Amino acid sequence: MAEHTRRTVLRGTAGLAATGALVGTGAGTGASAVAAGPATELTIRHYPFMEGVFAPVTEELTAFDLPVTGRVPRELNGRFLRNGPNVLGLEDPRAHHWMLGDGMVHGVRLRDGRAEWYRNRWVRSSQVARKLGETYPGPVPAEDFACNTHVIPHRGRILALQESGPLPYELDGELGTVGTYDFRGTLEGAFAAHTKYDAFADELHAIAYHPDWDHVRHLVVDGSGRIARTHRIPVAGAPMMHDFALTERYVVVFDLPVTFDAAAAGAGAPVPYVWNRKHPTRVGVMPRTGGPVRWFGIDPVFYSHTLNAYDEGESVVIDLMAYPAPFYVAGRGSDGPYDARTARLERWSVDLRHGRVRQRVLDDRPQEFPRVNEARVARRHRYGYTAAAAGMTAAYVTPDGAAPPDDAFSDGLVKHDLLRGTTQVHRLPRGAAAGEAVFVPRDPGDRRAAEDDGYTLAYVHNPDRGLADLVILAAQDFTGEPVARIQLPGRVPLGFHGSWIPDA
């Protein structure tokens, strides 16, 4: 069996799982790695993305009939899943990068008003299977990796996703790994960490990139579950494209100055992607059906995630998270991403008639992981949801381990009313770091229901218990007491993205 090392994974940028990352947490370990320096001294080095709220869990758990404070809505029948890096068998933290952690999916099964079970399972790539002493079935893919970035439902399947190289991994309903998935034999090359499902068109869209390509690929998966269309967009310099935007008429890609560095890769850099001041920063707009891309130059900035996008006359409007330049994806001595300032919610309006991009800040408080009612993807939306985790922000802003002022950051979930320009914050206690808030409609079949008629679900660290809770909020009573707080038997480290997987 071929041995696929971290270098192989990095060549496909599997390590660049997500640039802003937040989700449920654990009690702080407070431990710092000690690395041998000159013979006469020891150098204390912090690894903030291996400590505290990020500390990986060490075992897989299964628990049934979970304790609940409040009431689980009986209409919530399905699984709430979240993916994230959870390194397994790490021998030397100096050789590790936070985003390279083996993927672990955490899940809670809800049915008929009960929290039936909690499970956490590593995605069984060939490397993970070997570390666990298990047999990997079948041939090993060329760029195998335990996908650690997202987990989505698609055509009755559950798919763990990773960008730029590795195939998605399919999971079963109890989070066991079925195997790699190539969309019924139609996927050639890399896939993506972020997809957009247009419910009206019944299409799944993705933007795939790879450091060896001179282009990126717009992939469209049709109702049969096959990749029906592939559009190649020429792009120079091998930039990282973690996310993108979709409207009824257009696909929007972001060509940013974070590019692959072959020299760094050859020198063994943990993540060979650098802030490239010579690379232009631009937004590309292409018809969904393919065709020429119109490029619009903007000042340097780092964009991480899209909340949603829509068409407005002859403009394309994108609500997204942006970091002021420069942004060091590989970190600056922190073994994780770094920025001197925090992410903020912005609106970019691409004026197709006059050929310009208007940018304005909607909310400048520290936050990440924007989500929308999935029924509104590619259509005009009113509401959006983000997460604020003080531990996450502190790790980004102070990668040397220095602590910011106690009142600098807070923990909570944020609901944005983008029509009125107002926000509501569900505040959480100190140390109760919250993850990505996923909106679930109360009645998915009711097309007349209000856009925020439903619930938001998020994993939240409970500092009193030192473990995680699944918190369910009524989206229309966002600042009120949770409808339900489900006690989990373990921690959920800060991680990446998740989905609600409804019963068929």
Side-chain angles (χ1 to χ4, degrees):
M1 178 181 296
E3 175 69 13
H4 295 271
T5 65
R6 281 191 292 268
R7 171 66 65 80
T8 302
V9 172
L10 285 166
R11 283 285 295 160
T13 64
L16 297 174
T19 52
L22 300 169
V23 177
T25 65
T29 65
S32 297
V34 179
T40 58
E41 65 176 321
L42 289 178
T43 301
I44 305 300
R45 184 177 181 185
H46 291 271
Y47 296 89
F49 292 99
M50 287 289 293
E51 303 167 4
V53 296
F54 300 92
V57 298
T58 59
E59 59 183 340
E60 297 178 328
L61 302 176
T62 303
F64 299 95
D65 294 322
L66 307 175
V68 178
T69 300
R71 177 188 62 83
V72 176
R74 296 186 66 85
E75 57 266 32
L76 291 181
N77 291 288
R79 296 162 175 81
F80 179 61
L81 308 183
R82 195 231 68 188
N83 202 349
N86 196 93
V87 65
L88 173 63
L90 179 64
E91 297 179 357
D92 185 356
R94 292 170 298 180
H96 177 67
H97 188 282
W98 171 53
M99 293 178 179
L100 289 180
D102 306 288
M104 174 176 276
V105 177
H106 299 257
V108 173
R109 171 68 159 107
L110 304 180
R111 179 157 52 191
D112 298 331
R114 296 172 50 238
E116 284 193 345
W117 54 250
Y118 162 81
R119 286 179 167 86
N120 64 312
R121 297 291 186 269
W122 274 289
V123 177
R124 260 49 172 195
S125 66
S126 59
Q127 305 100 314
V128 168
R130 174 178 54 79
K131 293 175 185 178
L132 294 174
E134 301 174 357
T135 300
Y136 184 82
V140 178
E143 294 189 65
D144 191 31
F145 186 71
C147 300
N148 69 13
T149 311
H150 209 339
V151 55
I152 65 168
H154 184 63
R155 299 288 163 200
R157 303 176 188 270
I158 299 172
L159 303 179
L161 302 182
Q162 190 79 31
E163 64 202 70
S164 186
L167 290 172
Y169 264 95
E170 181 180 354
L171 310 178
D172 63 26
E174 295 186 345
L175 308 189
T177 301
V178 177
T180 56
Y181 185 68
D182 60 3
F183 295 92
R184 304 176 70 176
T186 60
L187 176 62
E188 298 180 3
F191 196 59
H194 284 283
T195 57
K196 313 293 180 193
Y197 176 66
D198 185 337
F200 292 87
D202 191 19
E203 292 178 341
L204 184 73
H205 292 249
I207 295 292
Y209 73 98
H210 192 282
D212 291 338
W213 295 351
D214 61 0
H215 62 278
V216 298
R217 298 176 186 177
H218 170 225
L219 308 175
V220 183
V221 184
D222 66 13
S224 72
R226 295 180 172 87
I227 295 176
R229 303 193 304 275
T230 300
H231 308 124
R232 296 194 177 195
I233 303 172
V235 176
M240 185 185 75
M241 287 196 185
H242 179 65
D243 200 357
F244 69 106
L246 184 73
T247 74
E248 288 187 70
R249 293 184 288 170
Y250 299 104
V251 175
V252 184
V253 296
F254 302 88
D255 184 8
L256 306 175
V258 174
T259 61
F260 180 73
D261 187 332
V271 175
Y273 275 76
V274 300
W275 182 264
N276 183 351
R277 298 180 185 277
K278 297 180 179 179
H279 191 86
T281 307
R282 56 184 189 161
V283 179
V285 179
M286 182 187 78
R288 277 174 55 154
T289 54
V293 179
R294 290 187 61 187
W295 291 104
F296 303 84
I298 59 175
D299 291 336
V301 67
F302 186 80
Y303 140 87
S304 61
H305 297 108
T306 299
L307 189 152
N308 194 33
Y310 57 89
D311 300 312
E312 185 175 67
E314 295 190 51
S315 293
V316 174
V317 179
I318 313 118
D319 290 342
L320 51 80
M321 304 308 303
Y323 293 77
F327 186 91
Y328 299 96
V329 178
R332 302 188 73 181
S334 67
D335 299 287
Y338 166 75
D339 182 61
R341 290 165 288 179
T342 58
R344 59 196 188 192
L345 181 63
E346 296 190 2
R347 172 165 290 177
W348 295 4
S349 298
V350 184
D351 186 335
L352 300 177
R353 171 181 287 182
H354 298 101
R356 63 191 180 194
V357 180
R358 296 190 300 273
Q359 300 164 266
R360 65 184 179 98
V361 176
L362 298 178
D363 190 348
D364 64 357
R365 79 189 77 191
Q367 60 196 293
E368 249 289 3
F369 285 169
R371 294 297 294 257
V372 70
N373 181 334
E374 296 294 307
R376 303 307 306 165
V377 168
R379 271 74 183 171
R380 184 187 294 270
H381 58 283
R382 175 173 178 176
Y383 300 105
Y385 306 88
T386 57
M392 177 70 215
T393 305
Y396 268 72
V397 175
T398 60
D400 58 356
D406 289 343
D407 60 352
F409 309 120
S410 61
D411 293 299
L413 299 170
V414 185
K415 177 184 178 182
H416 298 269
D417 185 333
L418 298 163
L419 177 63
R420 294 183 176 178
T422 59
T423 60
Q424 293 179 306
V425 180
H426 185 89
R427 301 190 183 280
L428 296 167
R430 181 189 179 101
E436 184 178 65
V438 175
F439 178 85
V440 182
R442 185 178 56 82
D443 181 0
D446 185 359
R447 292 295 182 92
R448 296 175 298 176
E451 184 182 326
D452 63 344
D453 184 7
Y455 307 95
T456 56
L457 279 63
Y459 290 123
V460 176
H461 179 60
N462 187 322
D464 294 330
R465 297 197 306 122
L467 304 173
D469 296 336
L470 172 56
V471 173
I472 303 176
L473 303 179
Q476 293 182 335
D477 184 23
F478 199 76
T479 61
E481 287 296 312
V483 172
R485 183 182 290 273
I486 301 168
Q487 297 181 16
L488 308 187
R491 298 188 298 106
V492 181
L494 283 172
F496 299 148
H497 306 285
S499 296
W500 171 249
I501 317 287
D503 289 348

